[in-house]
Amino acid sequence: MQHDASASRRTANPGRLVYLMGPSGAGKDSLLDAARSALQCQHVEIARRVITRSAEAKGEDALAVSLEQFEQMSAEGAFALQWRANGLAYGIPAQIDAWLAEGRTVLVNGSRAHLPLARERYPQLLPVLLSVAPQVLRQRLLSRGRESQEDIERRMERAQQVQVADRDVQVLDNSTSLSAAVQGLLVLLHQQGLLGSS
């Protein structure tokens, strides 16, 4: 993860970072896509991740780059947050700092393992864990066709090991309908006073 001096220079009415996490297959991408219009109407910005995954791969609307391009972007300070997981490199564009400085709510698709580092950089962030029942998770992983059976079993094991010891983490269930998860996200953000900020 990167850190720059601009973080300590933020002044009046900074926005808040919403850090969405969850096991692969929990439906983070689907949730963000389904909630995008409603969130944009409430002036919530959704960061587009940069990932070292081929542009042909199924999944989120991310910017796909080579590892060499990713490392060059990192060296140039293009990322506010970055991490490695499952053989891929992930970056959150530094643009989020400008949005936060404008007082906006910013939602990012983050990594559970890197929550402590993200919180170090953004102490006021709101961590949200998207959970899903094991049988639903397995079916989603199988249906998307990205991983081998062995990879799916490893992901299932990691998902089972996730424990939310941090009382600040808000848990959002996505085991039923996508519309229910979207509504749950909007209710949560409303309760936190994060909708309609600008």
Side-chain angles (χ1 to χ4, degrees):
M1 293 238 178
Q2 287 185 315
H3 176 78
D4 62 28
S6 64
S8 62
R9 292 198 300 267
R10 295 187 194 115
T11 54
N13 302 316
R16 193 170 181 195
L17 187 68
V18 179
Y19 193 84
L20 182 67
M21 308 167 287
S24 184
K28 298 185 298 295
D29 302 329
S30 297
L31 174 63
L32 293 179
D33 286 343
R36 191 175 306 274
S37 294
L39 291 173
Q40 288 175 339
C41 287
Q42 296 290 334
H43 307 288
V44 176
E45 299 286 355
I46 301 176
R48 186 184 188 207
R49 297 199 297 187
V50 177
I51 309 179
T52 54
R53 173 188 289 152
S54 73
E56 293 75 29
K58 299 176 183 177
E60 70 182 277
D61 177 27
L63 175 61
V65 299
S66 68
L67 181 57
E68 292 75 17
Q69 289 173 312
F70 187 95
E71 290 176 343
Q72 180 64 31
M73 293 173 74
S74 176
E76 293 171 353
F79 304 128
L81 300 169
Q82 60 179 293
W83 63 89
R84 307 289 175 107
N86 304 314
L88 302 173
Y90 297 80
I92 303 295
Q95 181 183 23
I96 70 169
D97 287 336
W99 287 336
L100 290 169
E102 292 169 0
R104 293 181 176 272
T105 296
V106 180
L107 197 156
V108 302
N109 185 344
S111 160
R112 291 168 290 163
H114 290 83
L115 173 60
L117 291 174
R119 179 173 270 150
E120 184 178 319
R121 177 172 166 91
Y122 300 100
Q124 302 304 314
L125 70 76
L126 174 67
V128 178
L129 177 67
L130 192 63
S131 67
V132 63
Q135 65 273 20
V136 176
L137 177 60
R138 183 183 297 278
Q139 185 55 48
R140 288 179 184 169
L141 290 172
L142 287 168
S143 64
R144 72 183 189 177
R146 272 193 218 164
E147 300 96 352
S148 67
Q149 187 64 43
E150 185 178 339
D151 289 336
I152 288 174
E153 292 309 316
R154 278 198 295 264
R155 287 188 183 278
M156 291 296 299
E157 287 176 16
R158 283 198 298 271
Q160 294 300 319
Q161 292 167 359
V162 174
Q163 297 190 5
V164 185
D166 190 333
R167 279 183 272 177
D168 290 336
V169 174
Q170 303 293 313
V171 179
L172 181 63
D173 183 63
N174 189 27
S175 299
T176 58
S177 70
L178 187 57
S179 60
V182 170
Q183 186 60 31
L185 176 63
L186 294 174
V187 167
L188 172 60
L189 296 183
H190 176 71
Q191 291 172 341
Q192 295 288 327
L194 299 179
L195 294 183
S197 59
S198 61

